[in-house]
Amino acid sequence: MVIKHEKGSPSLYRRIADELKAEISAGTYAPGDALPSESELAQRYDASRGTIRQAFAALRTDGIISSRRGARRVVQGGPRLQDFAALHSFSHWGRAIGAKPSGRVVGLARREATGDERDRLNLPEGARIYHLTRVRLLDGRPVMIERTAYPDRIGALVAGMDLDRESITDRLEELGTTFADAEHTIDAVRATADDARLLGVRAGAPLLRERRRTTDPSGAALEWSEDRYLGDQVAFTVRNSADRNTLSRWHSAPGATTG
Amino acid sequence: MVIKHEKGSPSLYRRIADELKAEISAGTYAPGDALPSESELAQRYDASRGTIRQAFAALRTDGIISSRRGARRVVQGGPRLQDFAALHSFSHWGRAIGAKPSGRVVGLARREATGDERDRLNLPEGARIYHLTRVRLLDGRPVMIERTAYPDRIGALVAGMDLDRESITDRLEELGTTFADAEHTIDAVRATADDARLLGVRAGAPLLRERRRTTDPSGAALEWSEDRYLGDQVAFTVRNSADRNTLSRWHSAPGATTG
DNA sequence: GAGTGGTCTAGACCACTTT
DNA sequence: AAGTGGTCTAGACCACTCT
């Protein structure tokens, strides 16, 4: 018996995965606890074993559970992982951690893309972009400087927004833009005089720098951003395993530009 | 027809995945190129479609390819990701990037674990650990300070090694220890006087701090390490997507320990 | 409309952990 | 010995992209 999906409804394995995640969040299964077996869940959800395995695979990829042949799956400890939206959008993230996120526009300009920007956004010579600089705050205190380049098509939409009030990410999603993949490069830099003034720290303070390239489902670049966080305010957490690794370590030869 | 595995040989889908990765590395499929369809590969490898999908899933999890319904899978650009061993072991990593890795032991001691160390390694009150501090170098230049706590059982093995010469990771693997999962927390800190002396920079220089907890397949903690990299020498790269997210952003309230 | 990936089923055998 | 997850097969229907 195959049950058809209602239009727009998530697949069965996604619903099962979401339900398991919710039960783990709620503490029904605590870190270290064993989860129900595949066959047990197959019965409970009237699904095949393959579908249950697909649901578990989603949790495994997110690092929420571990799994070994012969033993039941076990809930992993550690900090809860955030969903893609909370990670991608400062506004979402701020609200998720219970703070009041805001922004202050420092500059917005349409200009010709630099060579680096053309590379990152995959644009032809002479292409124009929008470049936005904002200070982002939590509960009124500066936490991060955001310097983002948008391709012309996206930037035109952004330029029309109320940037002090709206979430760019949310508005772009409403306007039909889908953020699918992102690549983040993280290192540490010294605050420049400019950084220091905007963040209210002394020049030379250690900042956590995140350079991010985000693409849509077809692989087209949607933004290229360099964000600088106060080093003592923000950290990033990554999980990986022998099976699955999305993390790399990179070395910059002294004197070379850092990618 | 079911073909049995030879003992110790990797599964079919792993071999297919490895072969595809090799072809991508070799440039047979360049970033932006479409890959063969599932049915085509099923024929080529005399495998079922499910097995081919399993191989593709491995590449997808590593962020090497993207995939959308209706269109063929596409090779993703960006830096090549390193395998778990290269990420986990400084020695492996150094050799992989063509440099000569080395280490200099600053201190090794067996002592009672602090509260923080007990939490991270999941040890009872009063448990003892081994604590190792090393400076790690590439081509003779200091790049990182490593401060690692090992549970007694592991530390006893480490203490017997030639720490200036051997790779701890390699030796522990040879001795039957399997590193399965790791959780990394990354932020930026100011170099202490001690850090500065060991790394040959001025105090206050920005350092990239990686705190790492590594576990074996059963979830038991194998090490808890705090590594500090020169900010202009090393960066970390992470890939994620709406489907699959192993990255989180964390906020530390001012004054709180960045635990 | 043809091709492709996404979801789901039902069943099989095996390696490993647990009791 | 029983239970559990890992691998693999063969087939089905569907949503979507491409030309």
Side-chain angles (χ1 to χ4, degrees):
Chain A
M1 176 189 58
V2 177
I3 297 170
K4 290 179 199 158
H5 307 163
E6 286 179 44
K7 192 173 174 181
S9 85
S11 51
L12 176 57
Y13 86 86
R14 273 178 207 281
R15 274 186 289 137
I16 296 173
D18 288 345
E19 210 160 301
L20 289 169
K21 282 187 198 175
E23 287 181 307
I24 290 170
S25 293
T28 311
Y29 304 108
D33 284 0
L35 289 162
S37 71
E38 294 176 359
S39 53
E40 191 178 333
L41 289 174
Q43 267 202 315
R44 184 188 307 177
Y45 287 104
D46 192 27
S48 76
R49 199 186 146 210
T51 300
I52 302 297
R53 286 181 62 78
Q54 220 172 342
F56 273 136
L59 303 209
R60 181 75 184 87
T61 298
D62 288 352
I64 296 171
I65 60 172
S66 66
S67 130
R68 309 143 65 198
R69 182 160 35 190
R72 288 204 178 183
R73 290 173 175 85
V74 168
V75 178
Q76 294 287 88
R80 288 179 301 106
L81 290 169
Q82 296 152 8
D83 64 19
F84 190 68
L87 180 65
H88 182 260
S89 156
F90 185 88
S91 306
H92 278 213
W93 174 63
R95 282 193 297 270
I97 64 172
K100 190 170 159 292
S102 56
R104 187 167 60 77
V105 174
V106 175
L108 172 62
R110 181 162 182 269
R111 60 165 167 73
E112 197 168 305
T114 66
D116 190 46
E117 287 163 350
R118 285 204 308 275
D119 285 354
R120 305 300 188 156
L121 296 174
N122 204 24
L123 296 174
E125 180 114 21
R128 299 183 80 78
I129 56 142
Y130 284 80
H131 189 274
L132 172 65
T133 303
R134 281 198 294 181
V135 177
R136 307 306 301 266
L137 309 92
L138 288 180
D139 295 331
R141 284 183 300 100
V143 164
M144 183 257 276
I145 305 170
E146 184 180 82
R147 296 184 174 96
T148 311
Y150 296 98
D152 219 32
R153 181 176 60 85
I154 306 290
L157 302 174
V158 171
M161 298 180 189
D162 177 355
L163 294 173
D164 285 345
R165 233 168 275 277
E166 293 180 295
S167 160
I168 294 180
T169 302
D170 284 356
R171 273 302 279 155
L172 286 176
E173 292 267 6
E174 284 168 26
L175 296 171
T177 306
T178 305
F179 296 89
D181 289 273
E183 183 177 296
H184 314 255
T185 300
I186 299 168
D187 60 4
V189 297
R190 200 184 285 277
T192 65
D194 225 33
D195 296 339
R197 185 173 47 80
L198 293 171
L199 289 173
V201 295
R202 280 206 295 276
L207 301 181
L208 188 66
R209 177 169 68 162
E210 177 205 8
R211 285 170 295 176
R212 180 182 64 249
R213 182 175 179 273
T214 311
T215 54
D216 73 9
S218 76
L222 295 175
E223 59 161 18
W224 159 242
S225 190
E226 193 201 89
D227 297 352
R228 295 178 174 216
Y229 294 85
L230 286 177
D232 59 353
Q233 295 272 310
V234 175
F236 290 95
T237 295
V238 190
R239 287 189 199 165
N240 65 351
S241 77
D243 276 354
R244 126 198 90 71
N245 191 17
T246 58
L247 178 63
S248 294
R249 175 167 48 188
W250 292 93
H251 181 244
S252 335
T257 49
T258 322
Chain B
M1 177 189 58
V2 175
I3 297 170
K4 290 179 200 157
H5 307 162
E6 286 181 41
K7 194 173 173 182
S9 85
S11 51
L12 176 56
Y13 87 85
R14 273 179 207 280
R15 275 185 287 137
I16 296 174
D18 288 345
E19 210 159 302
L20 288 170
K21 283 186 197 175
E23 288 180 308
I24 290 169
S25 293
T28 310
Y29 304 108
D33 284 0
L35 290 161
S37 70
E38 293 176 359
S39 54
E40 192 178 332
L41 289 174
Q43 267 203 315
R44 184 187 306 176
Y45 287 102
D46 192 27
S48 78
R49 200 186 145 210
T51 300
I52 301 298
R53 285 182 62 78
Q54 220 173 342
F56 274 137
L59 303 208
R60 181 74 181 88
T61 298
D62 287 352
I64 295 172
I65 60 172
S66 68
S67 135
R68 307 143 62 200
R69 181 160 35 190
R72 288 205 177 183
R73 290 173 176 85
V74 169
V75 177
Q76 293 288 88
R80 287 179 300 105
L81 290 170
Q82 297 151 10
D83 64 20
F84 190 69
L87 180 66
H88 183 259
S89 157
F90 185 87
S91 305
H92 278 213
W93 174 63
R95 283 193 295 272
I97 64 173
K100 190 169 158 294
S102 56
R104 185 166 61 78
V105 174
V106 175
L108 172 63
R110 180 160 182 269
R111 58 164 168 75
E112 198 169 302
T114 66
D116 190 46
E117 286 163 349
R118 285 204 309 275
D119 285 354
R120 305 299 186 156
L121 296 175
N122 204 26
L123 296 174
E125 180 114 22
R128 299 182 79 80
I129 55 143
Y130 284 82
H131 190 273
L132 171 65
T133 303
R134 280 199 295 181
V135 178
R136 308 306 301 266
L137 309 91
L138 289 179
D139 294 332
R141 283 183 299 100
V143 163
M144 185 256 276
I145 305 170
E146 185 179 82
R147 295 184 174 97
T148 310
Y150 296 98
D152 219 33
R153 180 177 60 85
I154 307 291
L157 301 176
V158 171
M161 298 181 189
D162 177 356
L163 293 171
D164 285 345
R165 233 169 274 279
E166 292 180 298
S167 161
I168 293 181
T169 302
D170 284 356
R171 272 302 277 152
L172 285 177
E173 292 266 5
E174 284 167 26
L175 295 171
T177 306
T178 305
F179 297 90
D181 290 271
E183 183 177 297
H184 315 255
T185 300
I186 299 168
D187 60 4
V189 297
R190 200 184 285 276
T192 66
D194 225 34
D195 296 339
R197 184 174 48 81
L198 292 172
L199 289 172
V201 296
R202 279 205 295 276
L207 300 182
L208 188 66
R209 176 169 70 164
E210 176 204 8
R211 284 171 295 177
R212 180 182 63 250
R213 182 176 179 273
T214 311
T215 53
D216 74 8
S218 76
L222 295 175
E223 59 161 19
W224 158 242
S225 190
E226 195 201 87
D227 297 352
R228 297 180 172 213
Y229 294 86
L230 287 176
D232 58 354
Q233 295 273 310
V234 174
F236 289 96
T237 296
V238 189
R239 288 191 198 162
N240 66 350
S241 78
D243 275 354
R244 130 198 87 71
N245 192 19
T246 56
L247 179 61
S248 295
R249 175 167 48 187
W250 292 93
H251 180 245
S252 334
T257 49
T258 323

